[in-house]
Amino acid sequence: MNSYSRRAFMRTLGAASAVAAGASVVAPIARAQAAQYKLKYAHNLAISHPLNIRAKEAADAIRKETNGRVDLQIFPNGQMGTDTDMLSQVRSGAIDFLTQGGVVLSTLVPVSAINGIGFAFKDYNQVWAAMDGDLGAHIRTAISKVGLVAMDKVWDNGFRHITSSIKPVQMPTDLKGLKIRVPVSPLWTSMFKALDASPTSINFSEAYSALQTKVVDAEENPLALIDTGRFYEVQKYCSLTGHIWDGFWFLGNARSWGNLPPDLQAIVAKHLNAAAIRERADVAALNTSLETQLKAHGMVFNKPDTQPFRAALQKSGFYDQWRKKYGDESWALLEKYTQKFA
Ligand code: X2X
């Protein structure tokens, strides 16, 4: 199946299951008990990704605890549109919830990409201390100013690695001129330009076909996405650069959220935040198991020393440029959890 028909097929599948989920709410005998609050939640990931699996569990728990009053309907796999479309939809209220990384959200809330500064976090201990701590709170406040509400717990996307169909990336010089797909995000584009690559912004739903048709030769994503997005079908090499960590904010439209009575808000938030914590553990487990699985699909792995990449970014003025853009207050909150950049 070519990528267009594959995606169309997957979308139809997703749409069919969403219809089925909607239909099951209006059960034959209990028609009168149709949900009082139907909330549409969209995301861009495959149905097999832990984020979708844990969100489904949360939706079930929410239905149960609210006696069916709140029905969180999930629209996975980018079936509601591209990342940038969905961001507009959650702002307008066409959808009620969206999970999106700081990466694309930063087109609207610039500071939300600050965790994506190259080689900022050493490990997950630093990541969750920052995102569950003052840095996360700072970003949530910025998000609240654009008509969105962010749940407390960020879901994991992961540390990002570079895949390519032409050669492994071992040194910064291997990036020179590399045609690499990046999400629609000024920070990502800036970073890969600083490393002399040739980045193109492409929404996630178009990334697979862009690689397949060789519009680009490379992309970068966490292992769980390389697997569930089936990038191993169109990429040969995986270089474990871990150059960026990014997660998914669970974003709500502020008006829809405000329409929910406080007791229902509390139930929804409780289950979504608990699901985020479980999803973090799932992704952590995948990080250790997926290398073997992706090798079995034919991918070839290498693990570069990241120091030369960081030095190249430093030398290009990348860190100075973004420190100025974000401002001292935000930068100090980042450096509270990471090593210093200067
Ligand atoms: O678009 C991507 O690469 C993804 C799925 O990782 C994000 O949402 C940033």
Side-chain angles (χ1 to χ4, degrees), residues 9 26 32 46-47 77 99 126 214 241 250 254 269 290 301 331 336:
F9 174 65
V26 192
I47 53 176
N77 216 11
T99 35
Q126 284 190 345
K214 305 264 186 219
T241 46
F250 208 105
L290 276 182
F301 280 73
W331 199 262
K336 182 174 166 187

Side-chain angles (χ1 to χ4, degrees), residues 44-45 83 99-104 157 160 181-184 188 202-205 207 219-222 225 231 246-248:
N44 60 358
L45 301 189
D83 301 326
T99 35
Q100 192 157 80
V103 47
V104 178
N157 187 354
R160 302 176 78 93
R181 172 270 169 179
V182 293
V184 182
W188 263 242
I202 298 176
N203 274 305
F204 185 70
S205 54
E219 67 88 47
E220 45 84 58
N221 250 305
L225 264 285
F231 288 130
D246 194 36
F248 293 107

Side-chain angles (χ1 to χ4, degrees), residues 155-235:
W155 300 52
D156 194 17
N157 187 354
F159 280 93
R160 302 176 78 93
H161 307 297
I162 298 172
T163 67
S164 162
S165 58
I166 42 182
K167 64 170 182 181
V169 173
Q170 183 64 24
M171 292 294 293
T173 45
D174 294 321
L175 287 169
K176 199 173 166 48
L178 184 69
K179 289 195 285 175
I180 184 167
R181 172 270 169 179
V182 293
V184 182
S185 183
L187 178 67
W188 263 242
T189 303
S190 156
M191 175 168 151
F192 281 94
K193 279 197 175 144
L195 290 168
D196 259 352
S198 175
T200 308
S201 302
I202 298 176
N203 274 305
F204 185 70
S205 54
E206 311 298 335
Y208 181 99
S209 53
L211 291 163
Q212 193 182 38
T213 56
K214 305 264 186 219
V215 170
V216 286
D217 296 315
E219 67 88 47
E220 45 84 58
N221 250 305
L223 293 184
L225 264 285
I226 295 167
D227 180 51
T228 57
R230 307 177 76 91
F231 288 130
Y232 55 82
E233 293 175 351
V234 287
Q235 297 280 268

Side-chain angles (χ1 to χ4, degrees), residues 133-148:
D134 294 342
L135 185 68
H138 180 68
I139 298 172
R140 262 195 308 281
T141 304
I143 293 173
S144 71
K145 295 188 175 143
V146 298
L148 296 173

Side-chain angles (χ1 to χ4, degrees), residues 24-46:
S24 68
V25 174
V26 192
I29 359 169
R31 266 193 165 270
Q33 287 178 15
Q36 194 178 351
Y37 300 95
K38 284 193 181 170
L39 300 170
K40 292 195 179 117
Y41 158 47
H43 66 78
N44 60 358
L45 301 189

